[in-house]
Amino acid sequence: MTLPIVNEVEVDVLPVHNGSTKAPMSVRPAITRSYNVRVLSRQKSIQRRNATLTGEPSAQAWPHQSQFGNIHDDQVARLAARPLHPLALADLARHGRPPLSTEALFSSANFTLSLLPIRLAHRIQALRNLPFIVVSNPHIAQIYNNYVHSLSTLLPYQERRITSLEDEIQFTEVMADLVQTHANTIPTLARGFLECRRYISPANVTRFLDEHLRARIGTRLIAEQHVALHLSSKPHSAGASTPQENEQSSYIGVIDTALRPAEIIRHCEAFVGELCELKYGVRPTVVINGQSDARMTHVPTHLEYIITELLKNAFRATVESGKEREPIEVTIAAAPDTPEAGSVATDSALNDARTPNLSSVPGVTIRIRDRGGGISPDVLPSIWAYSFTTFADGDVLDTGNNAGGGSNGNADALNAISGAGGDSSSLAGLGYGLPLGRAYAEHFGGGVQIQSLWGWGTDVYLKLKGLGKSG
């Protein structure tokens, strides 16, 4: 299985079909052309729309109105007042393994429609609650207008259920449009907050970005999951996949039900090792021990992003402390399949006959241990913050929050996000990797913990939860 390395702040998991990152050949050409035209048209529309935001938006256009969407304040308030549905892997896998039947595809579309307008309204409300001088910034105004636009495209579907293939196809195009529209949300917000640093405290920025990122992970994943299921389902295929082909795939949309963390680690090691060798001329080795054959159910690109960022920190710390001959040790421990650990996978929806038997462990813990000198006690309290008070603008890629060991000082995470432009190919200046990586891990009940021995090295513990066994 070939797994692409995630090289951007924004993690895209679309599309994944039958264990591959390429759309199946059986997808109807007309639909593929429709998507291509739609995406290209949408990209041009976004560029034209964003080009008008080079100056400060007027007070009349912010925050109560947007010229790029036809929604009313009471609609946003009504949706934002409704509670958010906590998203679990079981929710995304409940519709079964592709290709889906027509009824299951409609169920997926309506489930997606029941969640996304509420999530978008919550983000619009959160942006409106920022200080006016902050939300008047053109970059933050751009993000606001993107959310208003996306919500306006979904509101017409709120009045009815999706019960025809024509409606489902149009709705899926709206989902593809939503994913494309919000592709650069985090770097754009970072630029806006950098320009407004005088008017909002670092603590408030950290709180807003952390909440926004966590909400965005779920919103994006919900949309991408339905598009992936759509593209690999019978109603939209020129010819149905054979049962043998379906049985060979471990994917349900963007979820891999037989994901091997050891494979992800090796792919990320190769990518980070090349960066390290390019920058320093040497690369440390990675030794994997423990239960390297463990399999679990998870989103591969989420794990790739987290592992890549943690390995970058460990590689850089190891080399800069002169310990490049010391291997970086990665230990994989599978959680025991107890009734308590697997309770999330015993949901009745997962026991439905449409859902495949998920013979994977309920979770894993991955420890990454390096000899990079540890984290300075002065820096340690700040490693989870999107701080922007300790850096000069010209030093964006010179130092970083070094969670893997020897540190050159506290990183300016906002500068890193904004200055890198979403490109995480550099080893330095990527202090945002820890708070973003932790958000991805915690989204499905996992987490990241750090134990630093200042002067020796660092242990990073990544805990991931899957679905465990069902059926």
Side-chain angles (χ1 to χ4, degrees):
M1 177 175 62
T2 301
L3 295 170
I5 293 296
V6 178
N7 295 337
E8 299 182 354
V9 177
E10 310 289 342
V11 178
D12 293 338
V13 297
L14 171 70
V16 177
H17 311 286
N18 297 328
S20 170
T21 57
K22 297 182 179 180
M25 295 298 294
S26 59
V27 175
R28 190 166 61 193
I31 294 176
T32 303
R33 288 195 300 270
S34 173
Y35 272 3
N36 292 338
V37 171
R38 184 83 177 195
V39 170
L40 288 174
S41 175
R42 183 64 194 134
Q43 286 176 330
K44 293 179 181 178
S45 175
I46 293 171
Q47 291 171 357
R48 289 194 301 267
R49 173 154 46 87
N50 292 344
T52 67
L53 293 172
T54 55
E56 287 191 1
S58 65
Q60 289 77 18
W62 186 274
H64 300 296
Q65 296 181 14
S66 170
Q67 56 183 314
F68 305 116
N70 183 24
I71 60 175
H72 301 288
D73 287 350
D74 58 344
Q75 292 176 300
V76 175
R78 175 175 52 82
L79 289 169
R82 297 172 62 179
L84 291 172
H85 174 80
L87 187 65
L89 282 171
D91 293 323
L92 300 176
R94 65 189 303 171
H95 303 290
R97 185 187 298 274
L100 301 186
S101 66
T102 303
E103 292 73 18
L105 198 60
F106 292 164
S107 176
S108 173
N110 287 306
F111 174 74
T112 303
L113 184 59
S114 71
L115 300 180
L116 288 187
I118 298 173
R119 286 175 169 267
L120 294 174
H122 274 265
R123 299 324 307 152
I124 292 172
Q125 198 66 51
L127 285 162
R128 289 180 171 182
N129 289 337
L130 290 170
F132 182 79
I133 196 170
V134 174
V135 296
S136 296
N137 177 273
H139 298 298
I140 298 177
Q142 173 186 331
I143 298 303
Y144 172 84
N145 286 313
N146 285 346
Y147 274 93
V148 170
H149 165 78
S150 294
L151 181 58
S152 69
T153 62
L154 286 177
L155 287 179
Y157 293 93
Q158 284 268 288
E159 307 300 327
R160 65 185 191 275
R161 289 182 60 81
I162 295 173
T163 57
S164 70
L165 284 178
E166 182 180 1
D167 283 347
E168 193 277 331
I169 291 172
Q170 293 176 354
F171 176 74
T172 304
E173 290 178 346
V174 170
M175 292 298 94
D177 174 271
L178 184 148
V179 172
Q180 180 66 31
T181 297
H182 299 274
N184 296 310
T185 292
I186 302 302
T188 304
L189 276 178
R191 294 186 188 100
F193 283 123
L194 276 173
E195 295 173 1
C196 298
R197 64 173 70 194
R198 296 182 180 180
Y199 312 115
I200 186 169
S201 69
N204 287 336
V205 171
T206 296
R207 182 164 49 251
F208 179 88
L209 279 181
D210 205 45
E211 178 186 349
H212 189 91
L213 174 67
R214 291 168 189 271
R216 183 187 174 282
I217 292 171
T219 300
R220 193 175 182 86
L221 195 56
I222 291 167
E224 289 170 332
Q225 176 71 351
H226 177 71
V227 176
L229 292 174
H230 167 97
L231 290 174
S232 55
S233 294
K234 287 180 179 178
H236 307 290
S237 300
S241 303
T242 65
Q244 290 77 13
E245 290 175 347
N246 296 329
E247 290 174 2
Q248 292 173 357
S249 173
S250 60
Y251 278 81
I252 301 177
V254 299
I255 301 171
D256 189 354
T257 61
L259 183 148
R260 288 188 60 199
E263 288 185 358
I264 299 284
I265 293 167
R266 284 303 181 195
H267 281 281
C268 295
E269 175 201 357
F271 170 68
V272 176
E274 290 178 0
L275 294 181
C276 188
E277 194 164 7
L278 180 65
K279 183 176 179 65
Y280 298 106
V282 295
R283 66 165 77 184
T285 59
V286 172
V287 176
I288 299 178
N289 54 37
Q291 296 168 279
S292 59
D293 59 343
R295 297 176 183 269
M296 66 178 301
T297 299
H298 214 275
V299 182
T301 46
H302 285 192
L303 180 56
E304 285 178 12
Y305 176 80
I306 299 168
I307 294 295
T308 297
E309 294 303 321
L310 295 180
L311 286 182
K312 282 179 183 177
N313 288 326
F315 271 54
R316 180 179 177 223
T318 300
V319 172
E320 292 188 351
S321 63
K323 300 288 186 179
E324 62 272 8
R325 295 184 180 274
E326 297 286 342
I328 295 171
E329 182 182 343
V330 180
T331 304
I332 301 173
D337 190 25
T338 62
E340 293 78 10
S343 60
V344 68
T346 60
D347 184 273
S348 59
L350 288 180
N351 289 327
D352 190 281
R354 295 170 299 169
T355 304
N357 182 27
L358 307 178
S359 57
S360 53
V361 298
V364 298
T365 299
I366 301 172
R367 182 187 67 188
I368 300 177
R369 169 173 288 177
D370 69 64
R371 285 284 309 277
I375 306 171
S376 166
D378 295 334
V379 173
L380 193 58
S382 306
I383 61 176
W384 302 114
Y386 298 89
S387 169
F388 59 93
T389 58
T390 62
F391 243 18
D393 289 340
D395 298 332
V396 172
L397 295 177
D398 291 335
T399 61
N401 254 357
N402 193 353
S407 172
N408 291 329
N410 186 20
D412 183 343
L414 277 183
N415 258 320
I417 299 175
S418 176
D423 180 6
S424 60
S425 61
S426 171
L427 281 175
L430 294 175
Y432 63 86
L434 271 180
L436 297 189
R438 184 174 68 168
Y440 276 105
E442 291 180 349
H443 192 75
F444 291 121
V448 178
Q449 294 182 336
I450 292 177
Q451 296 292 332
S452 171
L453 292 177
W454 177 230
W456 180 264
T458 303
D459 285 359
V460 180
Y461 294 88
L462 169 62
K463 182 179 180 182
L464 299 170
K465 284 190 177 181
L467 285 178
K469 295 182 180 180
S470 69

